[in-house]
Every structure is written in structure tokens, then in C-alpha cells.
Amino acid sequence: MAEKFDVIVIGGGPGGYVAAIRAAQLGLKTACIDSYSGKDGKASPGGTCLNVGCIPSKALLDSSKHFHHVQHEYAAHGIHVKEAAIDVPTMLARKDGVVKKLTAGVTQLLKGNKVTFYHGTGTLAGSRQVTVSPVDGGTALQLSANNVILASGSVPIEIPNVAFDGEYIVDNVGALDFDHAPKTLGVIGAGVIGLELGSVWNRLGSEVTLLEALPDFLALADRDIAKLAEREFKKQGLDIRLSTRVKQAAVKKKKVVVTIETADGESELSFDRLLVSVGRKPYTEGLLADDSGVRLTERGQIEVDEQSRTSAPGVWAIGDCVRGPMLAHKASEEGVAVAELIAGKPAHIHFETVPWVVYTDPEIAWVGRTEKELKDAGIEYRSGTFPFAANGRALAGGQGAGLVKIMADSETDEILGVHIFGANASELIAECVVAMEFQGSSEDLARIVHAHPTLSEAVHEAAMHVDRRAIHRGN
Ligand code: FAD
Ligand code: NAD
């Protein structure tokens, strides 16, 4: 007989494991099924984010930043280091250690909350019957539940004529594990992964070339911020080539030869390694039996309504496998909301205040709408900016690059968008998200006391500049 649960979650990434924990906290008998195996072949819940995404990329960004600083920043402080060297295997081992600690932590959290965990592939059939096929090849198990949450995540998009081989032509997984800094690294797609992992290897000595199909750099970001960032990243040595289409790539004599097409016609480039980071697509292979009743969209996403309900009764879907931005915090918040809805509580997510962060140096962060989006929607707005070059803490820390930009409704002064390029933008954006969640105005931010000297004073001053009353800049 199939073991019966209140909730079965398929997928143990930041969407799935968070949903499972919240459901269990709410007193629901919960199971979580995840197929991911760590480098040791054992279960490693945490999904893309913990295993091969957010966390390992940030570990390498941090290590490579230290190396870069020793070489290029310390001298200005009067600190002279004779010869800095990078030991890539040690750096990777540290990264793997961080991943192990966090995935083991998720296992403990699931256990502590009495979530039954299965290391296997879950397949949903009609009437919320779920088959678990264990990763170790053991006998399949039959489960059933009143509610099933699908959280199967996403995988990298592969482009025609550029096949991954795991060694020379890689996705994020390969680029997080190069055993040395390749002399030359080509990156297809100057998006979030391309910029973050391109920065890592650039700091460690690789010559990095980013090949971007679109004419605009970071098309999702505000134009002022994107322009500043592009200039800064080029200064850092990233060779960013826009309007460049990749036609094909082939490995020849231990080099990757890439055929590109630009306004000047076709030409070839050669790299030691090639990272393909052109976006991700929802992953639903093996997830749905023919009679599951769950509909997919044309783009292969699981179709859901505003509250994450699929077309099958009692079946929900969250995270990268559904609409909306592919971000870990978005997946987690959906997980919490669905668990609460299942438990009969009210829950709602404000997708318009989901923050974005790109963990380059300086960081890029934003929430709400860009200037172009406001113009396109015909919304009247006022805008205020403040450069980090005029912020005492930023200068004291050698972090004078970048800008805060705030846009507020001309009539009501409600904050409509905040865009930051600067040190610690990932943390600075949080107060702006809070302000927007409370429908705050630029005047609210301007009247709040910000500690001195802090980078957050740049947010404060940008808010004051909306009303042309900033103190530390011309208005
Ligand atoms: P996933 O994390 O992909 O988890 C899905 C899990 O389900 C996986 O473990 C998978 O093996 C499992 N699974 C799939 N099908 C089945 C099945 N049938 N049965 C059992 N298990 C199954 N986002 C951020 O917000 N911040 C960042 O800094 C950030 N950095 C990133 C860096 C990189 C290099 C990458 C690739 C992504 C990054 N992301 C970041 C995106 C983030 O990783 C995803 O948005 C997030 O992991 C999505 O969570 P999820 O739970 O929907 O899916
Ligand atoms: P992305 O969508 O951020 O960037 C892909 C880039 O590739 C785009 O600029 C696109 O125009 C370009 N592109 C597409 N096809 C191309 C082609 N054929 N040739 C050249 N360029 C092409 O995707 P990504 O960098 O692969 O990351 C995937 C997703 O993972 C992100 O969208 C994001 O949701 C998530 N992620 C988030 C973070 C973060 O939050 N810090 C970090 C990494 C990944």
C-alpha cells in the first residue's frame, strides 16, 4: 500500500526543501524527494543553488576577490606582498567544504522537522500518486498525498552547434570546477552567470571574452546602471562583445574554436575553455506521468496560477520550473506561501518587489521598475541619484565606484524602482525592498536616520536627491 502523506514535495532545492520544512512546521505530515547526488554520490539536498549555483559561485567570487585585492589593492594601503600565488585546488576544496556544510545542514533541518526524505526521482501520476525511484537503483516506492508540490528546478540551455562536453565546453557546473585558470576563457552570454563566473576566472588570471547576442549590456537592468557597470567591468579586463552571435563551437587540438557573427560578418575566435551561459530552462524530465493532469506552457514551464496551483487539483508548482524570475529567494518564498495556503492560511507574494542581485565587484542590485519600464508605461516619475564617490565610507574603503538611483511617482512620491551599482549593493537593496513593500515614499527614506559613516547613506542621499535636497552633492 502506498504510504500516505499530507504533503509530498518533489525537488529539494531552495523552493522544495523550504516548502517541506514550512509544511512540517505547520503540522503537516511531509515527505521531500530529491535526486541530486553530491561529489561523494550521497544525497545532497539544496538543489542547484547550494550544489552548483548561488553558494559555490559566491565562495569562488570571494576567494578570487581576495586574490585580486592582494595583487591590486593592498599596495595603496601600504601593504606589500612579494608574490601572491593562487592554489586553485585549495580554493575549490574550500568551496566544496562550504557546499558540504550547507547541504548537510539541509539534511539536518529536514530531519529536525520530521520531514521524511527520499534520495530518488519522484514521478507524479493521477490522483497525487507518486513513485519514488531510488538513486541507488533500489526498489521503487509508492506514495500518495493530499497535496503535491513540484519544485524540480531548471537546467542550462544548450545552443545549436555548441554541445557541452564537460571539459572544454562547459556549463556552470564545469566552470565552478576548472582545476586551473584557463589562459583564455570564452563565455557565451554576458548575463548573470557569465558576469559572475567570468569575473572569478578573470581575477585569477584568465583572459575572459564575453560574447553577447543582444546589442544592450544586461538588458534587464536599468540603462544608467548597466552603462556604468559595463564601463567598470571593461576596466577590470572583461572583454565584453555585444551584438555577437555564436554560430558554432568545436574542439580542435585542445582549443575551442568559436565561429561568431557580428556586423562585420563571420569570424573565428579560439579559447582554452568555453562557458555557455545563455539562460536556463525548466526541468521536468521524469517528473510527470502521462495521467498527472499537470499542463506545461509552450516554454516548458509548469503552468500555474497566481498562487502556484497547477491544472491538477491539489498539485502546486514553485521555483525555477514555473513562471517568474529564476532566483533562489523567489523559489523559497513561493515554497513558504504554498505550504501556508495548504495549511489554510492566507499567503501572497509581491513579485514586483523581488530583488535582483549580480555579485560582481562592485555588485549590481535592483528592485522594482527600470526607467525604461516607467517611460514605456507612461508613468510620471522623479529620479534621484547619488554617487558612491561622494560617500565617506565608500572612499575610506576604496569603494568609490558606482551609483544609487531611486525613482518615485511624481504625484504620490511612492518609490517605484531602486537601482544600485556599488559595494554591498546586495545588502543595501534590502531597505529599499522593505520601503517598497510598505509602499514607502522617497521622503520616507529621506527622513529615516542612517548611521554615519555607512554605504547606506548613499541610499539616503539618493532619496533626498529625488526632491533635490541632497546634502553631499549638487542638486
Ligand atoms: P533547484 O535549485 O534547481 O532544485 C531542484 C531540485 O530538484 C534539484 O536538486 C533536482 O535534482 C531535483 N529534481 C528535479 N526533478 C526531480 C524529480 N523528478 N525527483 C526528485 N528530484 C528532482 N539565484 C539567486 O537567487 N542568487 C544567486 O546568487 C544565484 N546564483 C546562481 C549561480 C549559478 C551558477 C546558477 C546556475 C544559478 C544561480 N541562481 C541564483 C539561481 C538559483 O540557483 C535558482 O533560482 C534556484 O536554485 C531555484 O530553486 P528551485 O528549488 O526551483 O530548483
Ligand atoms: P541570463 O538570462 O542571465 O543571461 C543569458 C545571456 O545570454 C543574456 O544576456 C542573453 O541575451 C544571452 N544569450 C542568449 N542566447 C545567446 C546566444 N546564442 N549567443 C550569445 N548570447 C546569448 O542567464 P544565465 O546567466 O545563464 O543565468 C541563468 C539564470 O540563473 C539567471 O537568469 C538567473 O535567473 C539565475 N542566476 C541568478 C544569479 C543571481 O541571482 N546572482 C546568478 C546566476 C544565475
Side-chain angles (χ1 to χ4, degrees):
M1 251 248 313
E3 183 170 359
K4 178 102 197 247
F5 289 88
D6 294 321
V7 179
I8 296 174
V9 185
I10 305 182
Y17 86 75
V18 168
I21 289 173
R22 186 68 191 123
Q25 283 175 348
L26 290 162
L28 300 163
K29 184 184 173 192
T30 306
C32 180
I33 309 164
D34 188 71
S35 56
Y36 204 91
S37 302
K39 287 185 174 172
D40 56 5
K42 294 191 180 141
S44 188
T48 302
C49 173
L50 266 58
N51 287 288
V52 288
C54 325
I55 298 301
S57 59
K58 267 78 245 177
L60 295 190
L61 278 159
D62 204 59
S63 297
S64 59
K65 194 158 137 180
H66 286 303
F67 184 57
H68 180 86
H69 282 183
V70 170
Q71 291 178 306
H72 302 285
E73 311 273 326
Y74 280 19
H77 296 266
I79 303 167
H80 297 284
V81 178
K82 276 229 169 83
E83 254 180 68
I86 184 73
D87 168 0
V88 173
T90 298
M91 181 184 76
L92 297 184
R94 172 187 172 276
K95 179 255 305 172
D96 290 343
V98 173
V99 169
K100 186 88 202 142
K101 199 174 256 178
L102 286 168
T103 54
V106 172
T107 302
Q108 280 313 313
L109 285 171
L110 290 170
K111 213 185 245 174
N113 282 285
K114 301 196 170 42
V115 174
T116 307
F117 180 78
Y118 298 95
H119 187 206
T121 299
T123 305
L124 172 74
S127 309
R128 297 178 301 279
Q129 300 291 315
V130 175
T131 307
V132 184
S133 310
V135 168
D136 65 9
T139 316
L141 302 166
Q142 290 304 320
L143 314 177
S144 73
N146 294 329
N147 286 277
V148 174
I149 305 175
L150 306 174
S152 53
S154 63
V155 287
I157 293 175
E158 206 163 354
I159 54 176
N161 306 321
V162 187
F164 294 122
D165 67 7
E167 189 182 355
Y168 291 95
I169 304 179
V170 300
D171 58 12
N172 56 300
V173 179
L176 286 165
D177 262 337
F178 290 143
D179 57 8
H180 65 281
K183 191 164 175 320
T184 54
L185 172 64
V187 179
I188 310 184
V192 198
I193 294 179
L195 287 172
E196 290 186 357
L197 294 182
S199 294
V200 166
W201 295 108
N202 177 49
R203 292 172 196 165
L204 298 177
S206 302
E207 283 167 34
V208 177
T209 307
L210 294 127
L211 309 170
E212 168 60 49
L214 293 180
D216 286 331
F217 178 66
L218 267 185
L220 276 184
D222 187 86
R223 286 304 84 206
D224 289 341
I225 297 294
K227 262 188 228 142
L228 267 184
E230 184 183 354
R231 205 181 315 145
E232 189 65 29
F233 298 156
K234 282 184 170 164
K235 263 203 269 170
Q236 293 174 6
L238 292 178
D239 181 358
I240 301 168
R241 306 206 189 165
L242 303 175
S243 301
T244 302
R245 279 216 159 267
V246 172
K247 307 278 284 186
Q248 63 169 30
V251 180
K252 289 179 195 158
K253 293 188 188 150
K254 299 193 172 181
K255 292 269 183 191
V256 189
V257 179
V258 179
T259 310
I260 57 165
E261 188 180 49
T262 64
D264 301 330
E266 270 192 25
S267 57
E268 281 187 351
L269 296 170
S270 170
F271 302 105
D272 292 307
R273 293 288 184 278
L274 181 70
L275 162 63
V276 184
S277 47
V278 294
R280 297 176 64 84
K281 60 179 182 191
Y283 179 72
T284 52
E285 227 166 86
L287 177 70
L288 304 169
D290 290 345
D291 66 344
S292 71
V294 173
R295 264 198 311 269
L296 301 183
T297 67
E298 270 175 13
R299 299 172 60 192
Q301 296 164 325
I302 297 173
E303 188 183 291
V304 286
D305 68 9
E306 270 278 285
Q307 291 189 314
S308 300
R309 286 184 186 81
T310 72
S311 49
V315 181
W316 312 70
I318 58 171
D320 280 11
C321 63
V322 303
R323 44 86 189 108
M326 289 184 168
L327 297 173
H329 41 285
K330 176 264 192 184
S332 297
E333 289 310 317
E334 283 179 325
V336 169
V338 166
E340 296 192 347
L341 288 168
I342 289 171
K345 292 177 171 295
H348 182 72
I349 296 177
H350 294 140
F351 287 103
E352 59 283 5
T353 49
V354 173
W356 274 84
V357 179
V358 188
Y359 294 83
T360 42
D361 185 20
E363 294 174 343
I364 303 170
W366 72 87
V367 57
R369 291 198 253 183
T370 63
E371 187 152 7
K372 182 171 184 310
E373 285 167 345
L374 292 177
K375 279 190 176 143
D376 289 350
I379 296 170
E380 301 279 326
Y381 61 92
R382 293 189 302 161
S383 162
T385 58
F386 194 80
F388 283 97
N391 173 278
R393 182 68 188 278
L395 287 189
Q399 298 170 318
L403 181 84
V404 178
K405 172 173 171 179
I406 299 181
M407 286 169 295
D409 189 285
S410 292
E411 210 167 302
T412 64
D413 195 33
E414 181 175 343
I415 301 166
L416 302 172
V418 181
H419 302 267
I420 306 176
F421 177 53
N424 286 18
S426 55
E427 306 291 344
L428 295 177
I429 202 69
E431 79 161 301
C432 307
V433 177
V434 173
M436 285 183 68
E437 273 288 322
F438 284 90
Q439 293 181 295
S441 61
S442 79
E443 188 179 349
D444 288 329
L445 273 187
R447 287 185 184 278
I448 289 169
V449 182
H450 288 70
H452 176 75
T454 60
L455 297 170
S456 71
E457 287 173 295
V459 174
H460 190 214
E461 289 265 11
M464 293 198 278
H465 188 240
V466 172
D467 199 34
R468 297 299 178 264
R469 56 191 178 94
I471 303 296
H472 295 95
R473 62 157 295 171
N475 285 302

